[in-house]
Amino acid sequence: MSAKVVFEDDALQLATWSRVFINRWRTAATKRRLTILRRHQLELIDSVDDRRIAVITILEDETGLLPPADARKEAEEIARITRDAVMLQAQIVEGRGFVAAALRAVLAGVALAARAPHPIKVFGTLEDGLPWIQQQLRRGGYHDDARGVSEVLIGLRRG
């Protein structure tokens, strides 16, 4: 059981598994990379029968706090067009320093203000987020996905 990497470069890795969309950012987001993310996310939505997906975003230490304005606008557009398809959004901000803590706080505030129709939660590590991700998948009735997501995410990190 492994995720399918659908895009990868030095700044971004996109992978899918079942109805789970994984995006790992190694540097700050750019509009060009977000446009690529949008295409792959919409392809996953179209590929699952009920058009419901889980989104897991992992931000590594080097991503920094704020992407450029055109990237923020593209991220807002992605959120708007996928709003009804996303069933959960987990945001993992790796790192223990001030920048990572500040980014977690900013993302948690944005999640509250967004009033999304799905749960959004911010975590410091993948291990912290996995139980919540599994719980949300089970709540949605996706028990097979809940059982497999841990192995897939940990395998993707090692791979």
Side-chain angles (χ1 to χ4, degrees):
M1 175 179 346
S2 62
K4 175 184 176 188
V5 176
V6 295
F7 176 84
E8 186 163 21
D9 68 8
D10 59 330
L12 174 63
Q13 178 188 58
L14 302 175
T16 62
W17 173 78
S18 186
R19 67 184 59 257
V20 179
F21 185 83
I22 305 143
N23 57 111
R24 176 183 289 276
W25 292 89
R26 297 178 179 118
T27 63
T30 64
K31 182 178 186 221
R32 183 181 74 77
R33 286 188 179 95
L34 282 165
T35 301
I36 294 167
L37 179 145
R38 177 205 303 219
R39 179 171 45 94
H40 288 289
Q41 195 168 20
L42 290 173
E43 284 175 6
L44 179 61
I45 291 166
D46 288 340
S47 76
V48 294
D49 357 353
D50 64 357
R51 299 181 51 81
R52 303 281 290 154
I53 66 168
V55 176
I56 301 168
T57 300
I58 302 166
L59 303 172
E60 295 183 358
D61 282 345
E62 296 78 24
T63 56
L65 280 177
L66 205 54
D70 63 340
R72 290 192 307 273
K73 186 174 181 179
E74 179 67 12
E76 289 168 7
E77 179 64 9
I78 293 168
R80 185 189 68 74
I81 64 176
T82 62
R83 182 177 177 89
D84 294 332
V86 175
M87 73 172 102
L88 74 92
Q89 187 172 1
Q91 299 173 325
I92 318 289
V93 181
E94 298 177 333
R96 297 176 187 221
F98 173 77
V99 172
L103 184 53
R104 282 191 289 275
V106 166
L107 288 174
V110 168
L112 284 174
R115 295 187 175 169
H118 55 270
I120 302 173
K121 196 154 181 182
V122 180
F123 301 94
T125 67
L126 182 57
E127 289 75 13
D128 290 343
L130 276 170
W132 182 83
I133 293 165
Q134 291 167 320
Q135 176 188 49
Q136 296 304 313
L137 286 166
R138 281 191 299 275
R139 278 190 182 156
Y142 304 105
H143 298 281
D144 289 341
D145 292 339
R147 278 190 292 278
V149 73
S150 176
E151 182 181 329
V152 166
L153 287 168
I154 290 169
L156 185 62
R157 182 170 55 190
R158 290 186 190 133

